[in-house]
Amino acid sequence: MLEGAKKVVGDKFVGQLSNYLSKNPENNIEKATNMLYKLAITDEHKKQIKAAQRILVEPRSNWRELYLRSISETDPGVRDRLLVNFLVHSALLGLPQQRELEAKLGHGVPWAILIDPTDRCNLRCKGCWAGEYTHKNDLDYALLDRIISEGEELHIHFYVLSGGEPLVRKDDIVKLAKKHRDSVFHIFTNGTLIDDKFARQCVEAGNITFAISVDGFEESTDARRGAGVYQKLMHSVDILREHGLFYGFSTTYHRHNVEEVCSDDYIDMLIDKGFRFGWYFTYMPVGADSDLDFMATPAQRAYAYQRIHEFRQRKPVFVADFWNDGEATDGCIAGGRRYFHINAAGEVEPCAFIHYANGNIHDMSVREALKTPLFRAYQQRYPFNDNMLRPCPFVDNPQVLADCVKESCAHCTQQDHMDVNVMAEKLEPYAREWGETAEALKQGVRIEQLVS
């Protein structure tokens, strides 16, 4: 049973919540959400729970359908552990504790830490942000364990693992998950290394979730990731589903696939395959030789904004767009505000796409990492723009990033050094054009007028 949850909320709470979910979850929605309401500390969380309750009891709600599918198709042990770890440890209790620490320490305490256990990968995908690293670094188990232990001391209970391909280190990941039972381990993976043995181990751990990289249907995915990859990852999805694990998709939209990955056919296919959530990323031109012509145009980005909002209204899947959802997050979440990145060499970066640092986790604690000059420079400038549709300091406000790097004396962490001023100059035309589009969206201009 969930020993960590018992310490916080007691045997009775965990047992009763599990009972509601196992026996007639459809009719126990109000009882389960009322339990969470009583546990909530902040007024904001109480309001959110009541709003969720109203939506979930609505018979025709797409969110109700998502909830019931997730409850019924997820292994009961995995379901119970994830609900307690995510809703209780990470959100209802974790967030208020993090805000208290922020006031005490004078700097951001993030909700999540993104860690690259390795930068090795079995694929070579066009435009991969990790492709600019050396492909020879690994963070050893002892260091990974220290990072997570120090994060948990700061009430951080959500750990995102990327790479490289993190499942090159699958044994260590399972070992970490089993040791840190009160946290969620969310793995971004190309999906090609998942097998039955690993899936069984993940069920035993109970606190591992997946975001599978897929960039459209077979032709589009294989064009970016390599021949045969689509079929391999879909086979892996079948394995995860058979074992009752919880998984979603990670889709990068770019100039050549926006319409496809924002289509009803695409999202319906993913829902039919058992995907419960999805992360949309716009292609980021990382690296000295990055291809700006591969970026989605401002009109295409506006189209993605519209379609993802439509999906939320109609489809039984949770989807988020890390660049177009600044309105929901009050701007950029990086730089230690809500998350930060530790790459496979140990460099402490503001974001997976911002390859600059002035600290290495080999030489400092997580708490010390949060005080690095680059993070301070970020936090002094939040938000980077008054228009929350322009949240990113990289593609939306490139001069802001250049100023942060210069002020903090941060160094480039890529093997091919990228001069931040050159990068800012290259991206300025795109930022200016998107700025005009974003301002029109903010003023209520219809998408059809922008893409015509």
Side-chain angles (χ1 to χ4, degrees):
M1 201 54 174
L2 306 181
E3 296 298 330
K6 290 178 183 179
K7 295 175 185 177
V8 178
V9 298
D11 292 351
K12 185 177 180 180
F13 177 93
V14 178
Q16 188 62 65
L17 182 61
S18 179
N19 185 57
Y20 286 151
L21 299 175
S22 299
K23 298 177 181 178
N24 205 349
E26 189 168 358
N27 291 331
N28 284 328
I29 289 173
E30 289 191 64
K31 293 178 181 178
T33 50
N34 282 339
M35 288 184 67
L36 294 172
Y37 181 87
K38 292 176 182 177
L39 187 66
I41 296 172
T42 69
D43 290 339
E44 180 183 5
H45 281 155
K46 290 180 183 293
K47 287 175 59 178
Q48 290 170 347
I49 291 168
K50 283 299 182 183
Q53 186 182 75
R54 289 192 294 271
I55 293 170
L56 293 175
V57 298
E58 169 58 46
R60 292 176 293 182
S61 167
N62 58 309
W63 296 104
R64 178 187 177 90
E65 182 180 351
L66 171 61
Y67 167 79
L68 293 175
R69 283 187 178 185
S70 300
I71 294 301
S72 63
E73 297 181 14
T74 304
D75 174 88
V78 173
R79 177 200 65 204
D80 293 351
R81 184 172 293 280
L82 287 177
L83 281 170
V84 173
N85 284 6
F86 182 79
L87 292 178
V88 178
H89 295 309
S90 188
L92 297 182
L93 299 183
L95 280 169
Q97 291 169 320
Q98 290 162 15
R99 300 295 82 79
E100 287 183 8
L101 272 175
E102 284 183 342
K104 178 180 178 181
L105 300 174
H107 57 73
V109 175
W111 180 74
I113 303 177
L114 170 59
I115 309 169
D116 298 344
T118 182
D119 60 14
R120 293 177 289 139
C121 187
N122 60 323
L123 300 181
R124 292 291 182 270
C125 304
K126 177 179 174 61
C128 176
W129 58 264
E132 301 303 321
Y133 295 132
T134 63
H135 306 292
K136 65 180 182 181
N137 293 303
D138 288 89
L139 301 177
D140 64 35
Y141 175 83
L143 181 55
L144 292 168
D145 182 41
R146 173 170 73 80
I147 292 168
I148 295 162
S149 296
E150 291 176 353
E152 289 177 334
E153 291 175 1
L154 297 171
H155 310 292
I156 301 168
H157 289 283
F158 198 87
Y159 295 90
V160 184
L161 304 179
S162 186
E165 171 48 51
L167 294 188
V168 171
R169 301 281 303 283
K170 64 174 71 171
D171 291 342
D172 282 338
I173 290 172
V174 171
K175 186 177 178 182
L176 286 165
K178 288 183 175 181
K179 179 175 181 181
H180 298 275
R181 300 176 70 82
D182 293 345
S183 292
V184 176
F185 291 81
H186 185 50
I187 303 173
F188 278 82
T189 172
N190 61 43
T192 61
L193 300 180
I194 293 169
D195 55 26
D196 281 295
K197 177 184 176 182
F198 177 61
R200 288 193 298 270
Q201 292 173 327
C202 292
V203 172
E204 292 172 6
N207 55 347
I208 297 174
T209 64
F210 299 87
I212 309 292
S213 296
V214 53
D215 297 316
F217 293 107
E218 185 166 8
E219 182 178 352
S220 295
T221 296
D222 285 359
R224 184 173 183 228
R225 299 185 175 274
V229 169
Y230 181 86
Q231 291 297 330
K232 289 180 181 177
L233 72 86
M234 286 303 174
H235 175 66
S236 295
V237 166
D238 292 339
I239 292 173
L240 296 178
R241 190 173 198 175
E242 179 183 345
H243 288 273
L245 290 161
F246 196 72
Y247 56 92
F249 64 90
S250 171
T251 290
T252 298
Y253 62 89
H254 50 75
R255 190 159 304 188
H256 308 295
N257 76 341
V258 172
E259 291 75 15
E260 179 179 334
V261 300
C262 292
S263 68
D264 282 324
D265 287 345
Y266 178 70
I267 201 74
D268 289 343
M269 177 273 293
L270 294 172
I271 292 169
D272 289 343
K273 292 290 288 186
F275 291 88
R276 301 295 174 229
F277 60 88
W279 310 128
Y280 278 91
F281 295 83
T282 192
Y283 165 74
M284 296 286 278
V286 176
D289 298 320
S290 55
D291 184 2
L292 270 64
D293 291 333
F294 200 60
M295 297 176 69
T297 66
Q300 288 175 320
R301 183 171 164 183
Y303 177 71
Y305 171 81
Q306 176 194 43
R307 292 293 290 157
I308 290 168
H309 277 71
E310 290 174 357
F311 290 158
R312 291 180 186 144
Q313 299 300 315
R314 300 186 289 110
K315 304 294 186 181
V317 62
F318 172 81
V319 288
D321 182 332
F322 279 90
W323 279 262
N324 286 339
D325 277 336
E327 294 165 313
T329 60
D330 294 325
C332 176
I333 64 173
R337 176 172 172 253
R338 293 294 177 265
Y339 106 104
F340 72 98
H341 179 227
I342 300 173
N343 73 19
E347 301 278 13
V348 178
E349 301 171 334
C351 172
F353 300 96
I354 307 297
H355 295 176
Y356 296 91
N358 43 27
N360 193 295
I361 203 65
H362 287 94
D363 308 317
M364 59 177 55
S365 67
V366 169
R367 187 169 295 203
E368 290 170 331
L370 294 172
K371 297 187 289 186
T372 56
L374 182 54
F375 285 20
R376 292 282 197 182
Y378 255 65
Q379 293 174 26
Q380 289 168 1
R381 289 169 170 80
Y382 288 137
F384 301 122
N385 200 291
D386 291 336
N387 187 338
M388 295 305 165
L389 291 173
R390 302 176 63 189
C392 181
F394 187 6
V395 294
D396 299 334
N397 307 280
Q399 189 55 50
V400 173
L401 177 60
D403 292 342
C404 288
V405 170
K406 180 179 179 180
E407 176 183 302
S408 63
C409 299
H411 64 270
C412 183
T413 59
Q414 295 179 181
Q415 59 180 337
D416 60 335
H417 177 80
M418 180 171 62
D419 185 288
V420 69
N421 293 305
V422 173
M423 178 215 68
E425 185 176 346
K426 287 171 58 177
L427 285 170
E428 187 57 38
Y430 171 88
R432 184 169 56 253
E433 187 177 352
W434 170 248
E436 295 170 357
T437 301
E439 190 59 34
L441 290 172
K442 184 179 179 181
Q443 298 301 323
V445 175
R446 295 177 61 183
I447 300 291
E448 292 79 6
Q449 296 175 261
L450 297 174
V451 300
S452 60

